[in-house]
Amino acid sequence: MAQTKFLLDESEIPTHWYNVIPDMPNPAAPYLGPDGQPVTPDALSAIFPPAIIEQEVSTERWIPIPEPVREALQLWRPSPLYRALRLEQMLDTPAKIYFKYEGVSPAGSHKPNSAVAQAYYNREAGIKRLTTETGAGQWGSSLALAGSMFGLEVRVYMVRVSYEQKPFRRSMMETWGGEVIPSPSNRTQAGRAVLAADANSQGSLGIAISEAVEEAASRDDTNYALGSVLNHVLLHQTIIGLETRKQLEKAGDYPDIIFAPCGGGSNVGGMMFPFLADKAAGKDIRLVAVEPTSCPTLTKGHFAYDFGDVAGLTPLMKMFTLGHDFMPPGIHAGGLRYHGDSALVSQLYHDKVLEAVAVPQVATFEAGVMFAKAQGIIPAPESSHAIRAAIDEALRCKRDGESRTILFTLSGHGHFDMAAYDKYLSGGLEDFDYPDEAIEAALHSLPKVG
Amino acid sequence: MAQTKFLLDESEIPTHWYNVIPDMPNPAAPYLGPDGQPVTPDALSAIFPPAIIEQEVSTERWIPIPEPVREALQLWRPSPLYRALRLEQMLDTPAKIYFKYEGVSPAGSHKPNSAVAQAYYNREAGIKRLTTETGAGQWGSSLALAGSMFGLEVRVYMVRVSYEQKPFRRSMMETWGGEVIPSPSNRTQAGRAVLAADANSQGSLGIAISEAVEEAASRDDTNYALGSVLNHVLLHQTIIGLETRKQLEKAGDYPDIIFAPCGGGSNVGGMMFPFLADKAAGKDIRLVAVEPTSCPTLTKGHFAYDFGDVAGLTPLMKMFTLGHDFMPPGIHAGGLRYHGDSALVSQLYHDKVLEAVAVPQVATFEAGVMFAKAQGIIPAPESSHAIRAAIDEALRCKRDGESRTILFTLSGHGHFDMAAYDKYLSGGLEDFDYPDEAIEAALHSLPKVG
């Protein structure tokens, strides 16, 4: 019986996060305020605790993980690394395929890795409540879980259309004690303004962010928490890649190519940053972000300053973007429907340290179903993007008779995405390649900077 | 950082199942046919393969697990044993609480442990197709998964009301390639008879069993598979208790009391049988089956011969039963709504080797939510029955200042049960204690034997 799971003891949970900033060939451009000047740490203190702000700008390579955070992570970590032997056999490929499975967390994805750290630092800073936004519910449920672990109240502004269509993610947040408010709501100026204009508004992530930030900024006992994009979130996620390195050592293997799904960048940063120094040292390893063709931020976007949200309330970040008023179609991988990308991931992609590829929706579900039949686990549609790319590479290896080692992040399970599988299986899913003209047009919305 | 997860290597997956039959103080009574005579193995060969029939009556203590079955189990096994440190802290109890987590299987419960074995033996016997029934969908999805692993077609007759109300379990089965038919259907005589009487019939587990058995019996390439009650199913589940014993050794601990949820008996047999010899040898250990007050088979039923299904098509089994036409209320733990119990579990309970306790629905959900807040994992409502009993024991320990070691089986996660959580959280759940008179009355339906 060949070994297919590579496990670590709890004592092997990393003691430090890896900060990629000191190892980047070129630094990411600073965040800018409405005045076009770099945002000061002070400006962020209305909604973030000091430790998080410090991490956002730190140039230390290794940042210690506080013991209470390690104890919280211990509930599900270390997560397993699998050799996908059955998938290899199904594809009849000479390639070896490994995947790191983050769906073992109680919330079902990698998101709690940062949620527990953010909850801890906020509690340490005397904060009693956290607000956030959620679309499909992955991040909202992760923060509700983290709140229950550190004794913080969590209020989640959930995009109204999701609130109504995805009641089970809502029930999950409430089970952990989170409060879920359909957005737009009457609780904030931002929400009331939207409702005044359209009493039946279905909401959007942009509006929900505005509501969550407004509430956090207006209350001393309340802060805001974000689940991707920012440096500190990617920092917390590096635990994925750090564990994977140790597990591959146990497997006696090293990847030739790594795939991770890419929305805001927390998966890409989490898995790939810890392999960056090897690459810089001359190791022959490819790091490939996988995004949907319907939201091709890296593969078709422009590298420019843009807002992080639709309403233009966030600082300006230099990133690959499709324009902050880009409206991605309603694909079934909500976590990848984001117009921009992390500044760190964007800079590294610009510097050709990271690569990117875009895959279409139907082929992505096809890959997810193949994977489920081979390995049992039903993947989240976001994760299936990485699976698609890994399968394509394994098939290429078969064609070319090459034995390569492929690694990908299986960022979550699809237990709350079965409606999307149902639609795929009944032939109701379509591909959507965003037309180049539309992307060009959206770029005109880019703010003028400098 | 105290250790909270006790893991085994894949090489430590047990090589043999443990058969409790040779170690029982009194043997279970034989299954009887319609003629009142013991059922012969031959009579079962229309729907079961030879290896399964042999296991059903074997008196060998250890039965080897075929290597392809171990390789299939390897996809998710060994499953972790957890120390529930955070729950202990929340309860402020001197007791130690351990739980064995079976929700790590792709189908989300312990059910695939037997499904993969049954699929394997059927494939070895040249069978191409399996039929089965499912209510809530746990067993049906486990068999669909197993079918995809061993190249068998799987047809699941799903109780129509569940088919309509629980589309996500259906999508899960279809993702693994299973075919799901709402029952009653027009494909069988049994189904057509029901529809002729009531074209709008919502179906029942009894009807679905009849359809699945009828189809299996009428086709040479097709067999039937059952997810609980029978000896061979409990045998396959003993892998749970066997792994747990090894893990407790690593933890340097031994349980004073074990709880498992009890419907047909596959959890009770799976966890407890491997501890039975210790008890027989004088070890002070209590083995407690936990059932709902709404379906109090062991705690209020009679020990008598009865049919396994509503329609009276199965052999007669001597078991604790509430009468085969007992209609349990629609509680949110579908896996525990069964009028009878495994013959093995029933005999051992009759002989006072096993104990039983019944817990009400609302208190069960309360325990499930406490557990989710403490340990992260949202439990299946079935599993929450064991959690309720474990918490009650831990609180008793606190009252009495006793340090005991409590172990329970967390048989599955609740990702497909969030509607039930929602109902609990919004105050819409009720308790249902089946009145003694009703249980008495139902017993009049017991068939006359001998």
Side-chain angles (χ1 to χ4, degrees):
Chain A
M1 203 163 78
Q3 193 176 352
T4 61
K5 286 195 285 294
F6 301 90
L7 307 175
L8 299 175
D9 290 333
E10 293 173 307
S11 59
E12 295 175 281
I13 294 175
T15 55
H16 292 71
W17 291 299
Y18 168 69
N19 180 14
V20 75
I21 290 178
D23 290 329
M24 293 171 73
N26 294 296
Y31 302 159
L32 301 182
D35 55 358
Q37 296 301 307
V39 171
T40 61
D42 241 25
L44 299 171
S45 64
I47 57 170
F48 292 124
I52 292 286
I53 298 172
E54 208 178 301
Q55 289 180 356
E56 190 63 23
V57 296
S58 172
T59 55
E60 294 293 318
R61 186 172 285 112
W62 294 101
I63 296 182
I65 306 178
E67 205 54 18
V69 174
R70 289 183 78 225
E71 280 174 11
L73 292 168
Q74 192 189 1
L75 269 192
W76 69 94
R77 303 205 75 85
S79 69
L81 178 76
Y82 285 85
R83 170 96 183 262
L85 260 189
R86 286 177 181 259
L87 181 63
E88 293 171 21
Q89 286 158 6
M90 181 189 272
L91 300 173
D92 189 25
T93 175
K96 289 190 274 188
I97 306 177
Y98 291 89
F99 65 93
K100 174 75 166 169
Y101 186 36
E102 290 293 313
V104 294
S105 85
S109 79
H110 67 300
K111 293 285 181 189
N113 294 334
S114 182
V116 294
Q118 293 190 49
Y120 167 76
Y121 287 121
N122 275 290
R123 188 193 67 179
E124 290 303 287
I127 291 297
K128 306 291 181 207
R129 301 173 68 254
L130 290 175
T131 62
T132 195
E133 72 288 335
T134 205
Q138 287 278 13
W139 170 246
S141 46
S142 301
L143 198 67
L145 167 68
S148 93
M149 294 178 72
F150 287 101
L152 293 174
E153 285 178 40
V154 172
R155 177 175 286 173
V156 181
Y157 288 92
M158 187 172 189
V159 177
R160 183 178 297 273
V161 61
S162 298
Y163 181 92
E164 281 161 7
Q165 287 177 359
K166 304 202 169 181
F168 296 159
R169 272 279 172 199
R170 172 177 58 70
S171 310
M172 196 176 202
M173 293 184 249
E174 290 172 348
T175 298
W176 285 316
E179 185 190 9
V180 187
I181 311 279
S183 166
S185 78
N186 270 315
R187 295 173 186 250
T188 64
Q189 286 191 330
R192 286 190 294 272
V194 173
L195 289 172
D198 174 9
N200 296 316
S201 167
Q202 290 296 288
S204 75
L205 213 47
I207 296 166
I209 292 176
S210 302
E211 292 206 276
V213 169
E214 180 186 323
E215 177 177 337
S218 69
R219 287 184 60 159
D220 282 349
D221 65 348
T222 303
N223 268 345
Y224 169 73
L226 190 69
S228 190
V229 178
L230 297 180
N231 300 358
H232 66 272
V233 182
L234 275 60
L235 175 77
H236 301 155
Q237 294 293 355
T238 58
I239 200 163
I240 299 173
L242 294 169
E243 282 182 7
T244 304
R245 288 182 64 98
K246 290 191 204 180
Q247 289 165 310
L248 284 167
E249 262 174 49
K250 297 202 178 192
D253 227 326
Y254 190 90
D256 295 302
I257 188 164
I258 305 181
F259 297 103
C262 191
S266 71
N267 263 307
V268 168
M271 175 56 97
M272 296 183 185
F273 287 178
F275 287 87
L276 228 75
D278 290 3
K279 191 178 170 77
K283 192 101 185 174
D284 186 17
I285 178 173
R286 292 177 56 198
L287 308 171
V288 186
V290 190
E291 60 186 14
T293 54
S294 54
C295 190
T297 315
L298 294 172
T299 51
K300 291 198 173 177
H302 282 218
F303 189 43
Y305 267 106
D306 198 2
F307 295 109
D309 66 331
V310 179
L313 296 176
T314 70
L316 289 161
M317 293 178 280
K318 189 162 181 197
M319 58 182 179
F320 279 85
T321 176
L322 299 164
H324 63 275
D325 55 4
F326 174 85
M327 279 300 284
I331 58 165
H332 290 280
L336 307 186
R337 292 179 70 225
Y338 186 62
H339 69 278
D341 210 324
S342 140
L344 297 179
V345 167
S346 295
Q347 184 66 47
L348 288 162
Y349 177 66
H350 180 70
D351 289 337
K352 303 197 186 324
V353 176
L354 304 178
E355 303 170 51
V357 65
V359 295
Q361 178 164 257
V362 175
T364 295
F365 272 86
E366 182 198 35
V369 170
M370 281 176 75
F371 183 82
K373 285 183 176 164
Q375 299 292 138
I377 300 166
I378 297 179
E382 289 84 354
S383 314
S384 293
H385 286 71
I387 297 174
R388 178 74 261 172
I391 288 178
D392 287 346
E393 175 69 9
L395 292 175
R396 191 198 60 70
C397 288
K398 180 181 178 180
R399 261 193 325 272
D400 299 348
E402 267 184 43
S403 172
R404 312 281 306 266
T405 298
I406 300 167
L407 166 67
F408 69 89
T409 310
L410 187 67
S411 53
H413 61 63
H415 298 172
F416 294 88
D417 301 286
M418 294 316 298
Y421 276 91
D422 203 30
K423 203 161 175 189
Y424 166 73
L425 291 168
S426 61
L429 275 197
E430 285 180 3
D431 283 338
F432 193 95
D433 292 346
Y434 223 76
D436 290 345
E437 312 82 74
I439 293 169
E440 282 304 314
L443 289 175
H444 293 306
S445 70
L446 287 182
K448 291 196 176 27
V449 174
Chain B
M1 204 163 79
Q3 192 176 352
T4 61
K5 287 197 284 297
F6 301 90
L7 308 175
L8 299 175
D9 289 334
E10 293 173 307
S11 59
E12 295 175 280
I13 293 174
T15 56
H16 292 71
W17 291 298
Y18 167 71
N19 180 15
V20 76
I21 290 177
D23 290 329
M24 291 172 72
N26 295 297
Y31 302 158
L32 302 183
D35 55 359
Q37 295 302 306
V39 171
T40 61
D42 241 24
L44 298 172
S45 65
I47 56 170
F48 292 123
I52 292 285
I53 296 171
E54 208 179 300
Q55 289 180 357
E56 190 62 25
V57 296
S58 171
T59 54
E60 294 294 316
R61 185 172 285 112
W62 295 101
I63 296 182
I65 306 178
E67 205 55 15
V69 174
R70 288 184 78 226
E71 280 174 10
L73 292 169
Q74 193 189 0
L75 269 191
W76 69 93
R77 302 206 75 85
S79 69
L81 177 77
Y82 285 85
R83 170 96 184 262
L85 260 189
R86 286 177 180 259
L87 181 62
E88 294 171 19
Q89 286 157 7
M90 182 190 270
L91 300 173
D92 190 24
T93 175
K96 287 190 275 188
I97 306 176
Y98 290 89
F99 65 93
K100 174 76 165 168
Y101 186 37
E102 290 293 312
V104 294
S105 84
S109 79
H110 67 298
K111 293 284 181 190
N113 294 335
S114 182
V116 294
Q118 293 191 48
Y120 168 76
Y121 287 121
N122 275 290
R123 188 193 67 178
E124 289 304 285
I127 290 298
K128 306 291 182 207
R129 301 173 68 254
L130 290 175
T131 61
T132 195
E133 71 290 333
T134 205
Q138 287 278 13
W139 171 246
S141 45
S142 300
L143 198 68
L145 167 69
S148 92
M149 295 177 72
F150 287 101
L152 294 174
E153 284 179 42
V154 172
R155 177 175 285 172
V156 181
Y157 288 92
M158 187 171 189
V159 177
R160 184 178 295 274
V161 60
S162 298
Y163 181 90
E164 282 161 7
Q165 287 176 0
K166 304 201 168 181
F168 297 159
R169 272 280 171 200
R170 172 177 58 69
S171 310
M172 196 176 202
M173 293 184 248
E174 290 172 349
T175 298
W176 284 316
E179 185 189 8
V180 188
I181 311 280
S183 166
S185 78
N186 270 316
R187 294 171 186 253
T188 64
Q189 287 191 330
R192 286 190 294 271
V194 173
L195 289 173
D198 174 9
N200 297 316
S201 167
Q202 290 298 288
S204 74
L205 212 48
I207 296 166
I209 292 176
S210 302
E211 292 206 277
V213 169
E214 180 186 324
E215 178 177 335
S218 68
R219 287 184 60 158
D220 281 349
D221 65 348
T222 303
N223 268 344
Y224 169 73
L226 190 68
S228 190
V229 178
L230 297 180
N231 300 359
H232 67 274
V233 182
L234 274 61
L235 175 76
H236 301 154
Q237 293 293 356
T238 57
I239 199 163
I240 299 173
L242 293 169
E243 282 184 6
T244 303
R245 289 183 64 99
K246 291 191 203 181
Q247 289 165 310
L248 284 168
E249 260 173 50
K250 296 201 178 195
D253 227 328
Y254 191 89
D256 295 301
I257 189 163
I258 305 181
F259 297 103
C262 191
S266 70
N267 263 306
V268 168
M271 174 57 97
M272 296 182 186
F273 288 178
F275 287 88
L276 228 75
D278 290 1
K279 191 177 169 77
K283 193 100 186 176
D284 185 17
I285 177 174
R286 292 176 57 197
L287 308 171
V288 186
V290 189
E291 60 186 14
T293 54
S294 54
C295 189
T297 315
L298 294 173
T299 51
K300 291 200 175 177
H302 282 219
F303 189 44
Y305 266 106
D306 198 3
F307 294 109
D309 66 330
V310 178
L313 296 176
T314 70
L316 289 161
M317 294 178 280
K318 189 163 182 196
M319 58 182 178
F320 279 85
T321 175
L322 298 165
H324 63 276
D325 55 4
F326 174 83
M327 279 300 284
I331 58 163
H332 290 279
L336 307 186
R337 291 178 69 225
Y338 185 62
H339 69 278
D341 210 323
S342 141
L344 298 179
V345 167
S346 294
Q347 184 66 48
L348 288 164
Y349 176 67
H350 180 70
D351 289 337
K352 303 197 188 323
V353 176
L354 303 179
E355 303 171 50
V357 65
V359 295
Q361 177 164 257
V362 175
T364 296
F365 271 85
E366 181 198 36
V369 169
M370 281 176 74
F371 184 81
K373 286 184 175 165
Q375 297 293 137
I377 300 165
I378 296 179
E382 289 83 355
S383 314
S384 294
H385 286 72
I387 296 174
R388 178 74 261 172
I391 287 178
D392 288 347
E393 175 69 9
L395 292 175
R396 191 198 61 70
C397 287
K398 180 180 176 180
R399 259 194 327 271
D400 300 348
E402 268 185 42
S403 172
R404 313 280 307 265
T405 299
I406 301 167
L407 166 67
F408 69 89
T409 310
L410 187 67
S411 53
H413 62 63
H415 298 171
F416 293 87
D417 301 286
M418 295 316 299
Y421 276 90
D422 203 29
K423 202 161 176 189
Y424 166 72
L425 292 168
S426 61
L429 276 196
E430 284 179 4
D431 283 339
F432 193 96
D433 292 346
Y434 223 77
D436 291 345
E437 313 83 73
I439 293 170
E440 281 304 315
L443 288 175
H444 294 304
S445 70
L446 287 181
K448 291 197 173 27
V449 174

